[in-house]
Amino acid sequence: MAKPAQGAKYRGSIHDFPNFDPSQDAEALYTAMKGLGSDKEAILELITSRSNSQRQEICQNYKSLYGKDLIADLKYELMGKFERLIVGLMRPLAYFDAKEIKDAISGIGTDEKCLIEILASRTNEQIHQLVAAYKDAYERDLESDVIGDTSGHFQKMLVVLLQGTREEDDVVSEDLVQQDVQDLYEAGELKWGTDEAQFIYILGNRSKQHLRLVFDEYLKKTGKPIEASIRGELSGDFEKLMLAVVKCIRSTSEYFAERLFKAMKGLGTRDNTLIRIMVSRSELDMLDIREIFRTKYEKSLYSMIKNDTSGEYKKALLKLCGGDDDAAGQFFPEAAQVAYQMWELSAVSRVELKGTVRPANDFNPDADAKALRKAMKGLGTDEGTIIDIITRRSNAQRQQIRQTFKSHFGRDLMADLKSELSGDLARLILGLMMSPAHYDAKQLKKAMEGAGTDEKALIEILATRTNAEIRAINEAYKEDYHKSLEDALSSDTSGHFRRILISLATGNREEGGEDRDQAREDAQVAAEILEIADTPSGDKTSLETRFMTVLCTRSYPHLRRVFQEFIKMTNYDIEHTIKKEMSGDVKNAFVAIVQSVKNKPLFFADKLYKSMKGTGTDEKTLTRIMISRSETDLLNIRREFVEKYDMSLHQAIEGDTSGDFLKALLVLCGGED
């Protein structure tokens, strides 16, 4: 396998075995496979403890000693996933990649994800070795086989990557960076249709250092990351390939951490992906992958493998992983640095928030009011027309329709809709007809009325709305229910949870930037209340009040700095620490605030996913988020959803709802990713 450049720190998890004796190892493997049955424990222990170059020596000695092919014997003795893993480890990396690609393009159908993963992530040298190994192993030309099995722009980009000619000079021309940014912008955002050739040429050939600067400048120029433009301009496997290339340019290790997480999350395990990455990265950057995995997913790679696999297969994977990374939520020093840098990046990144519902062109409230009246008059109801009009108008336009309806027909549109529709569709359509503030006020009222309180709904709304939105909700609540929101919260909740909600409901969050000195003090308060500070000071009640004040009143930019300072101070992630040290509704409220500060669209994407996963659907949460975010950031939520869950929000809704409710939700969703 490729070794690090001279002077570079080795980041693999597998090392050369000390006092290595290939003949002795060959004999041990022969003994483990002799007779009835095989000693799988001995096989996995030996092979996962040797480097790839040492395994090649063992193969040669095995042939010399016994006249037999070691890989053939291992295939005969082992089976299933364990066999695939062990045999994969016995091949040199280039031949392992060659075999994976051969499997991906053989037979019916193509494993595009495998092609994307390998060709988007390998260095020039690794690509050249792969092409040579494929020719040697199969007496075929890899480029010809890829061309024969793929098509279109996807094929063209794969062929470019197969050349292994990416520039490697770290000296970057600022003029060329600006030119590439302009060319990409003109090829996508400014063009009717997309000039895919420009994307292929620039992303397929420029150096990593150059492209990182291009991505930074592209964000400054357009207000959106290059990934957002790729998703908007490209499609299908070509889009997935280009996104993988961008991810690998930014960080190959982060790309693989994400691939590993997706291979194990949810029902079932994508074992081929898991095996391929654990084998191919074990002597390259497994330590980096582990650090980023912990930082992004707040659990160790080791623990996820342990919970998701079994038997000898699990034992072998854990050996390749190379160790568990401390308790959940605690970073080892290098991972703490990665986490710190991620907060730094989030502080400077300004992603434009976009909804999916926009004001309709050529809006005619008179025509819409008449069409709605016709759809509800007489026997039966034309739900299709109602859905088409109400989901395709902005909220301001819906309010105009409501007024026009009253003027024309002397009737309340809301009352008519309520009498004509029912169930989930009625809740969705009626919710869309309310102004955002009155809708949120109603959701808060419903969360507090009757037996039991819907604490999750209270947290979701109050922890995520802006000061202006909170103030509007207070006014709407008072107008609709003749009672202040604070009084309602006081009578329906208690203890620290009540104090948190009332603090959030005042809408007095600071709106300035960060104060570094104050951030360090705030981080110290967090460390003390969460009981991980070296020198606690002050009484507990005072600390609790100060901690609540920090999370409920500091501005988002300031809180990002607080969370960053918390990592520097403690080597812990604040979200994980809150989850570990706190409980109940207080914990849930604080976690929601932290997640909202980190990435609000991702917070809502997670809630949408949870509302639809498993048996049964939480229609109330699904409806509430789709209504409240449709004109704010639902497009961003969609992007986070597909990024994290490897399926589009459109697909999730389609698979989990039905009928007119489904149709209306899909219009609000605004498209398939």
Side-chain angles (χ1 to χ4, degrees), residues 13-14 48 85 89 278-279 282 286 316-322:
S13 55
I14 299 294
T48 58
L85 176 61
L89 287 167
M278 296 304 291
V279 169
S282 59
M286 186 57 69
L317 287 170
L318 292 178
K319 289 275 288 182
L320 294 180
C321 182

Side-chain angles (χ1 to χ4, degrees), residues 425-633:
L425 179 65
R427 276 189 288 273
L428 182 65
I429 296 296
L430 291 168
L432 288 167
M433 288 305 304
M434 300 176 75
S435 72
H438 285 273
Y439 179 71
D440 278 347
K442 184 174 183 182
Q443 296 307 301
L444 290 168
K445 180 76 164 65
K446 290 177 83 166
M448 293 184 280
E449 67 187 8
T453 304
D454 184 351
E455 291 85 2
K456 288 182 180 177
L458 296 178
I459 291 167
E460 177 202 304
I461 295 169
L462 295 175
T464 61
R465 302 307 192 251
T466 65
N467 284 345
E469 288 168 338
I470 291 285
R471 286 192 281 270
I473 291 168
N474 274 291
E475 288 176 20
Y477 199 95
K478 186 83 171 175
E479 181 185 332
D480 293 345
Y481 307 112
H482 312 293
K483 183 179 184 178
S484 75
L485 176 57
E486 183 177 332
D487 286 346
L489 290 168
S490 293
S491 61
D492 205 68
T493 57
S494 60
H496 288 306
F497 183 54
R498 174 169 63 195
R499 290 173 63 206
I500 293 165
L501 293 181
I502 289 173
S503 180
L504 293 172
T506 59
N508 285 327
R509 187 176 291 284
E510 295 162 1
E511 295 185 340
E514 64 180 62
D515 178 333
R516 291 209 174 209
D517 292 336
Q518 184 64 57
R520 281 188 281 274
E521 286 182 33
D522 290 344
Q524 180 65 32
V525 169
E528 290 177 13
I529 194 66
L530 295 170
E531 298 182 347
I532 53 175
D534 292 333
T535 54
S537 62
D539 68 278
K540 188 86 181 276
T541 305
S542 169
L543 276 172
E544 285 169 351
T545 302
R546 287 170 66 196
F547 184 57
M548 187 187 77
T549 300
V550 168
L551 288 186
C552 295
T553 69
R554 301 287 194 250
S555 71
Y556 273 26
H558 180 83
L559 283 174
R560 288 190 185 100
R561 180 63 63 185
V562 172
F563 301 158
Q564 196 179 21
E565 292 297 329
F566 185 86
I567 291 169
K568 187 193 284 188
M569 194 177 288
T570 67
N571 268 18
Y572 277 81
D573 172 74
I574 194 159
E575 183 183 338
H576 243 283
T577 310
I578 289 169
K579 286 176 179 174
K580 183 182 175 187
E581 298 296 333
M582 296 186 164
S583 61
D585 296 325
V586 170
K587 175 191 77 174
N588 294 336
F590 284 153
V591 166
I593 293 168
V594 172
Q595 290 176 340
S596 190
V597 171
K598 275 185 178 179
N599 185 335
K600 195 179 289 186
L602 179 58
F603 169 78
F604 283 115
D606 285 338
K607 287 195 73 70
L608 283 170
Y609 178 76
K610 287 171 185 170
S611 76
M612 292 181 280
K613 78 179 178 105
T615 53
T617 306
D618 179 357
E619 287 88 357
K620 287 181 182 176
T621 300
L622 176 58
T623 300
R624 186 172 61 245
I625 295 174
M626 295 298 288
I627 290 173
S628 64
R629 311 315 294 183
S630 59
E631 291 183 56
T632 307
D633 55 1

Side-chain angles (χ1 to χ4, degrees), residues 38 40 71 73-89 91 96 99-100 103 271-272 275-276 279 310-314 316-317:
S38 53
K40 297 178 181 65
I71 288 180
D73 280 4
L74 287 167
K75 278 184 172 181
Y76 180 79
E77 291 292 333
L78 308 177
M79 59 189 294
K81 296 172 286 192
F82 181 54
E83 178 227 309
R84 187 179 176 92
L85 176 61
I86 294 297
V87 168
L89 287 167
R91 292 192 172 101
F96 175 74
K99 175 72 164 63
E100 290 294 304
D103 289 347
D271 294 292
N272 287 355
I275 290 167
R276 188 168 56 243
V279 169
S310 60
E312 283 87 10
Y313 174 54
K314 173 172 80 173
L317 287 170

Side-chain angles (χ1 to χ4, degrees), residues 336-373:
Q337 286 305 308
V338 174
Y340 186 90
Q341 287 156 14
M342 284 171 74
W343 279 112
E344 192 74 54
L345 194 63
S346 78
V348 297
S349 179
R350 293 286 178 269
V351 178
E352 185 184 359
L353 298 178
K354 283 188 177 178
T356 52
V357 174
R358 298 172 184 85
N361 297 323
D362 304 320
F363 173 57
N364 185 336
D366 190 63
D368 284 348
K370 287 175 181 174
L372 286 169
R373 175 70 179 140

